[in-house]
Amino acid sequence: KNAYIYIKWACLQVAQTPDAEDNFLYLTKYADGSLFGLSQNPFLSFDANNPVRKKCCLYFLLPNSKEEKCKTCPLACKK
C-alpha cells in the first residue's frame, strides 16, 4: 500500500503532465508483473477504495512536518 500511495501521489499530484493519469493506471492496473520482477502486477490485489497504510511512514517526526500525520496514516491523529 505504501508504494501504491506514493505512486499515486507522484503521478497525480507531482507530475502534472497530460499523461500522468494514464501512467498511473498503467502502473497500477495494466502493467505486466515482469515490470516489477514478479509473476503478476502487485497492485492488482490492492483495494484502491481503502488506501490507509498498514505502517506509518513517520513523516510527522521530520523537523518541518509541523507534527502532522499523512492523510493515509494508520495512527490516530494527535495534535
Side-chain angles (χ1 to χ4, degrees), residues 1-75:
K1 287 187 178 185
N2 286 346
Y4 179 92
I5 291 167
Y6 279 116
I7 290 171
K8 182 177 180 180
W9 171 75
C11 287
L12 302 181
Q13 292 185 7
V14 176
Q16 297 181 0
T17 62
D19 58 346
E21 188 171 346
D22 289 338
N23 291 339
F24 173 71
L25 290 173
Y26 173 75
L27 286 172
T28 59
K29 293 187 183 291
Y30 305 114
D32 188 69
S34 62
L35 180 67
F36 305 98
L38 301 169
S39 60
Q40 73 173 24
N41 185 326
F43 300 112
L44 294 178
S45 62
F46 179 71
D47 180 8
N49 295 322
N50 185 19
V52 176
R53 301 169 188 246
K54 290 185 179 184
K55 297 187 182 205
C56 178
C57 68
L58 303 176
Y59 168 80
F60 71 97
L61 296 176
L62 294 174
N64 294 329
S65 71
K66 300 178 186 173
E67 298 182 11
E68 294 177 2
K69 293 182 177 71
C70 301
K71 293 177 185 175
T72 57
C73 186
L75 304 176

